[in-house]
Amino acid sequence: MGMPEKYLDATLVPAGVILMGLYHVYLVYKIAHHPKTTVIGLNNINRRLWVHAIMKERMKNGVLAVQTIRNSIMASTLLASTAITLCSVVGLLLGVGNRPDEFTLYGRTGSVTSSLKCMLVLVCFLVAFVCHAQCVRYYSHVSFLITTPPPLEAEMEGCDAHAEYVSTVFNKGAYFWSLGLRAFYFSLPLFLWNFGPIPMFVCSCCLLSFLHSLDTTNSLSTFYNNGCKRGVTN
């Protein structure tokens, strides 16, 4: 065998984690500086436009806005419940079995190593739960802010600061939604680490390819750059 078994965990696992970290550093840079080339950036723009459109006619669009946000709250609640349930399952697995540490083709095995792997998966699910709970919090705020009239002085001056604030709160909830989903995604290669560093590394590479196809878009960027400039800041 070209590589001793004891070096598999020390090389493939950090390589997979570093690849995922570098990809998300790149994604954050694209969202911050070139948002129209990413799905997250385009969705932020669309949510801002939607909030401004809804708040221009609050009495007419209020029911539509509340129903739309309610659906988002229900989805976040479902994912938060799923995350905390999986935390309970992983917590039970932490107390199962005690074996001496040893090296095999599937990486390092043993009670300490298995507990570490389960703990990392548990952390992912806890992060997912907290993020989706925060998502519900922000969406709940938006559900009444979006139908609240702006202060009289701002309305007389034609100021859109109130709608801009509501759209900012809305986008913060969406950011927590994305972070919660990323935590679920990250738990998959960490879970496969229980079957060895090779499945973990292969899953990390496949996951990065999958996420890249979901996160980037070029079909609408030209449209937003040329035909959708409405004075909305990114």
Side-chain angles (χ1 to χ4, degrees), residues 83-84 87 119 121-132 183:
I84 201 64
C87 286
M119 183 64 68
V121 176
L122 178 63
V123 168
C124 286
F125 291 144
L126 287 174
V127 170
F129 170 76
V130 172
C131 288
H132 285 294

Side-chain angles (χ1 to χ4, degrees), residues 12-234:
L12 294 182
V13 174
V17 173
I18 291 173
L19 285 176
M20 290 190 293
L22 291 177
Y23 169 75
H24 282 85
V25 170
Y26 166 77
L27 180 62
V28 170
Y29 171 81
K30 295 287 286 185
I31 294 173
H33 298 280
H34 305 283
K36 296 172 184 176
T37 61
T38 65
V39 173
I40 295 177
L42 288 179
N43 287 340
N44 289 340
I45 296 173
N46 287 325
R47 276 188 294 268
R48 184 174 287 112
L49 293 173
W50 182 77
V51 169
H52 280 265
I54 289 291
M55 296 190 70
K56 284 182 180 179
E57 299 184 33
R58 291 182 300 276
M59 301 303 296
K60 179 180 178 181
N61 300 323
V63 176
L64 172 63
V66 172
Q67 288 180 341
T68 302
I69 297 170
R70 181 191 62 183
N71 293 337
S72 299
I73 291 175
M74 292 176 62
S76 298
T77 303
L78 175 62
L79 290 175
S81 301
T82 302
I84 201 64
T85 302
L86 291 173
C87 286
S88 302
V89 174
V90 175
L92 291 175
L93 293 177
L94 285 174
V96 175
N98 288 316
R99 295 178 301 169
D101 282 358
E102 59 181 2
F103 292 102
T104 68
L105 178 61
Y106 302 103
R108 189 182 182 95
T109 61
S111 58
V112 176
T113 306
S114 298
S115 297
L116 175 62
K117 295 174 182 179
C118 290
M119 183 64 68
L120 292 176
V121 176
L122 178 63
V123 168
C124 286
F125 291 144
L126 287 174
V127 170
F129 170 76
V130 172
C131 288
H132 285 294
Q134 288 296 316
C135 182
V136 172
R137 170 177 175 264
Y138 279 109
Y139 285 166
S140 298
H141 291 334
V142 173
S143 65
F144 68 85
L145 286 174
I146 201 168
T147 57
T148 303
L152 181 59
E153 296 82 1
E155 191 172 13
M156 292 176 61
E157 296 176 1
C159 181
D160 281 341
H162 182 60
E164 191 65 25
Y165 170 74
V166 177
S167 64
T168 300
V169 175
F170 198 12
N171 278 332
K172 285 183 179 180
Y175 283 136
F176 277 108
W177 168 274
S178 297
L179 289 174
L181 285 180
R182 299 284 155 162
F184 277 115
Y185 294 151
F186 285 172
S187 67
L188 182 57
L190 292 177
F191 173 76
L192 290 181
W193 189 17
N194 289 283
F195 300 96
I198 297 177
M200 185 270 182
F201 180 76
V202 173
C203 180
S204 299
C205 295
C206 295
L207 180 61
L208 290 180
S209 178
F210 172 72
L211 290 177
H212 184 266
S213 65
L214 293 180
D215 293 332
T216 59
T217 178
N218 293 319
S219 59
L220 293 178
S221 59
T222 303
F223 169 76
Y224 277 89
N225 285 325
N226 298 330
C228 195
K229 296 179 179 179
R230 301 183 180 180
V232 178
T233 58
N234 298 327

